[in-house]
Amino acid sequence: MARVYDAQTLQGIVDSIAERMVGEVERGVVANYIPELATVNLNQFGIAIVLANGEVICAGDAEVPFSIQSISKVLTLTLALERCGATLWQRVGREPSGDPFNSIIQLEYEKGVPRNPFINAGAIVTADVVLEGQKPDQAVDQILDLCRRAAGDDDIFVDQNVAKSEAQTGHRNRALAQFISAENNLRCTVEDTLSVYFRQCSIAMSCRQLAHLGRYLALGGQLAETDDAIITQERTRRILALMMTCGAYDASGDFAFRIGIPAKTGVGGGILGIVPGVASVAAWCPGLDNKGNSLLATRALDDLVRQAGWSLFTGDVHFSLEE
Ligand code: GLN
């Protein structure tokens, strides 16, 4: 099937998706293990697309900020790769875990080297890489700077209430970090590393801002406006591969099967999806399924990608099959 690239057709598609989502009764459940996230109104849905040429298409609550949570792990992976290149893979793996995002079970078997940078244990290691040699506040500023630069928007902040809520209830994350530290895979203290991790997860952004942010991943690491690069094309390719195989935790296989684009989900209900060379898409609806991924944002991406022919496994056929 031919891929859809024109903004007007896409606007029609996302308008009808947003309309349908308003009427959905089954909306999943908000992440209640972080008390501040449990206060978010379930009846919100937003979607935004930023095309490779910069055109923006939005529908629903696309301007409402929400907690990006694990989507921030893409940012720390970007910074950690820039910082230590391929040596990063000595400290964190790149295989899907097949376990829930906050699972501790593999850490012991695998001697404190987390399976991938997108489960919590792996993201704690990448936060530690970013933190090394500076103060936690500076590391958080560095993550926010990348976020603002990539999104082309200075109006992006950490939600301090969410950060506090995470710090107060983050017992599992503390257990993960302590274990990694016991295996000598943290360079900074557990509390400093977690103070970065909790704050990166608590960055608040709207779908529109998030879709802008993801554009560098759709453009091979480049910021189109300035010819400035956030990261090399080679590393962008690696990040996208990890998003495809590990971005939705133990639902990543199902996600690739249903949707077929690299994506990163977060327990705030957001999903960032990348169609390489074509578009960056952000969808948000706070209710989660039993794997911790947004029920309706997943469904919205499924609808959009199917209607736009954007699955990486669809593709236009460029040669004739005759003869
Ligand atoms: N801050 C959340 C946690 O550490 C992030 C998890 C997620 O979004 N999957 O549990």
Side-chain angles (χ1 to χ4, degrees), residues 120-181:
N120 287 11
I124 289 168
V125 171
T126 57
D128 182 72
V129 170
V130 175
L131 173 60
E132 196 179 350
Q134 57 185 343
K135 300 242 181 308
D137 286 356
Q138 293 171 308
V140 174
D141 282 346
Q142 201 184 345
I143 297 165
L144 272 174
D145 279 350
L146 169 61
C147 208
R148 291 169 180 157
R149 188 169 150 232
D153 189 336
D154 286 340
D155 195 23
I156 297 170
F157 301 94
V158 170
D159 181 330
Q160 298 297 345
N161 291 333
V162 175
K164 216 161 107 199
S165 189
E166 289 217 35
Q168 279 164 354
T169 55
H171 309 300
R172 279 191 90 93
N173 288 319
R174 263 187 204 97
L176 293 169
Q178 294 286 3
F179 198 90
I180 299 166
S181 186

Side-chain angles (χ1 to χ4, degrees), residues 33-34 69-70 73 101 120 166 173 197 201 249 265-268:
Y33 74 101
I34 301 173
Q69 292 293 318
S70 282
K73 294 169 181 173
F101 63 85
N120 287 11
E166 289 217 35
N173 288 319
Y197 173 76
C201 288
Y249 318 109
T265 63
V267 292

Side-chain angles (χ1 to χ4, degrees), residues 29-52:
V29 283
V30 282
N32 51 16
Y33 74 101
I34 301 173
E36 196 63 25
L37 293 185
T39 65
V40 178
N41 174 4
L42 262 181
N43 293 318
Q44 301 178 87
F45 170 83
I47 187 162
I49 302 172
V50 176
L51 293 174

Side-chain angles (χ1 to χ4, degrees), residues 131-315:
L131 173 60
E132 196 179 350
Q134 57 185 343
K135 300 242 181 308
D137 286 356
Q138 293 171 308
V140 174
D141 282 346
Q142 201 184 345
I143 297 165
L144 272 174
D145 279 350
L146 169 61
C147 208
R148 291 169 180 157
R149 188 169 150 232
D153 189 336
D154 286 340
D155 195 23
I156 297 170
F157 301 94
V158 170
D159 181 330
Q160 298 297 345
N161 291 333
V162 175
K164 216 161 107 199
S165 189
E166 289 217 35
Q168 279 164 354
T169 55
H171 309 300
R172 279 191 90 93
N173 288 319
R174 263 187 204 97
L176 293 169
Q178 294 286 3
F179 198 90
I180 299 166
S181 186
E183 294 285 356
N184 291 318
N185 196 14
L186 284 192
R187 307 280 184 266
C188 310
T189 66
V190 164
E191 274 313 312
D192 279 359
T193 302
L194 287 178
S195 104
V196 175
Y197 173 76
F198 291 143
R199 281 185 280 171
Q200 73 176 67
C201 288
S202 306
I203 293 172
M205 293 176 77
S206 66
C207 284
R208 188 179 47 73
Q209 289 173 319
L210 196 56
H212 275 290
L213 177 142
R215 192 157 160 239
Y216 78 96
L217 295 166
L219 296 178
Q222 214 54 40
L223 276 181
E225 288 79 6
T226 56
D227 269 339
D228 219 5
I230 296 268
I231 190 166
T232 64
Q233 189 162 21
E234 200 54 29
R235 288 182 182 153
T236 308
R237 176 164 78 85
R238 315 292 193 191
I239 296 171
L240 292 177
L242 285 162
M243 288 171 74
M244 182 67 116
T245 53
C246 313
Y249 318 109
D250 48 337
S252 300
D254 196 49
F255 209 92
F257 183 87
R258 279 175 67 188
I259 301 173
I261 62 170
K264 184 73 207 81
T265 63
V267 292
I271 305 179
L272 174 65
I274 306 297
V275 190
V278 177
S280 163
V281 185
W284 169 62
C285 190
L288 309 178
D289 63 17
N290 61 354
K291 306 271 181 172
N293 299 313
S294 170
L295 186 73
L296 295 187
T298 304
R299 198 171 300 162
L301 280 182
D302 188 349
D303 284 357
L304 168 65
V305 167
R306 194 145 20 87
Q307 291 182 62
W310 280 357
S311 163
L312 265 51
F313 307 112
T314 306

